[in-house]
Amino acid sequence: MSASTLSGCRAALAIAVRYAHTRTISGPVAGRRVPLAAHRSHHARLLERVATAYVMTFLHREVTDHWITHTPTDRPAAERLVALAKGWITWQAREIVTESRERCGARALFPVNGLAEYPANADGAITAEGDNLAIWCKAAAEMIFGHTLAPEPPPATGRESLTDPAFLRRGITAAEHHWHAGARSDLRSGEADDALGRWNNASAAALNLAEAYIIGQAADAFATAITRTTAAGTRAALTDLYVLFLLDQVDSRSGLLLAEGALTRDHVRALPRTRHLLTTRLAPHLPALTDAFSVPQEHLSSLPMLTVP
């Protein structure tokens, strides 16, 4: 299920990015047309989804390798990792294919243009081979006391850089620690003889724990892939893409991380500007980043909206 939706979202992004550079619209100067990709409002959203797709790809590879090599004593943890990865990848895939379809306008609603069926395919995977929410609830419940509490990172000083991957990664760890400790506290605070009531009390924090954990694992998989990259230009672009993904995760949790001391007020204020600078730097690489998905040219060339003006 994870592999099928991952492949689908990579293909959808390849189509959407090519369309963004093929389709032209009226520009700010009369009589001059510009590609959709020239607009930051367009390419920034695609870049964020491309960053997520790269993270999904490397997570899927790491989880597959871990499952293949796991031992009988490691099986429960391996099963949890597979369940969490399946849920996160398929949920992210649905967001990506929906975004890709929308960025191609009404023409993408026609099946002949290759995108119309992807959202339904992702929806199917989300509830096939185990409904995502159900398998996440099982995994999250096991993690409350069956998973080691992540160390609490040191408080931010304000001197850290928002383009430092290690600092941003600590923000995800801080979120995992917060929700893990909260889930344990919430579970203990329920009535001892009411197992369902105790789980209901702890379920929200536990699911947030599961999400923070799998996002951290996905980020680590991307970081490992970057260390194996030898070409300097490729490594620099992938590092920027990795930081963009981390910034998105930290930004969405900025309130919690500020309260926990993992970010300062100046960090929070600087988040939008930092994301803007990274997006500007990455925008010229957008076609190359999706070309690397290796979607067959025969398929892309067969889609009317990519070939007919």
Side-chain angles (χ1 to χ4, degrees), residues 130-151:
D131 174 73
N132 281 358
L133 184 57
I135 63 174
W136 266 40
C137 283
K138 179 178 182 296
E142 293 171 354
M143 289 180 71
I144 295 177
F145 290 108
H147 178 71
T148 303
L149 185 69

Side-chain angles (χ1 to χ4, degrees), residues 184-274:
R184 288 183 173 182
S185 175
D186 291 345
L187 192 69
R188 290 190 178 107
S189 65
E191 296 292 335
D193 60 350
D194 183 7
L196 178 58
R198 293 173 66 208
W199 164 246
N200 283 338
N201 200 42
S203 60
L207 288 168
N208 282 321
L209 157 65
E211 181 183 38
Y213 171 74
I214 197 61
I215 288 172
Q217 295 303 299
D220 292 345
F222 197 170
T224 299
I226 292 172
T227 64
R228 299 170 181 160
T229 306
T230 56
T234 303
R235 186 182 182 117
L238 288 178
T239 299
D240 280 349
L241 200 66
Y242 175 47
V243 172
L244 184 64
F245 170 77
L246 291 173
L247 279 171
D248 185 51
Q249 299 303 317
V250 167
D251 197 1
S252 66
R253 297 168 175 81
S254 58
L256 169 65
L257 298 180
L258 179 63
E260 292 295 301
L263 292 177
T264 66
R265 287 182 296 175
D266 287 342
H267 283 138
V268 175
R269 293 190 184 103
L271 279 168
R273 180 62 178 169
T274 306

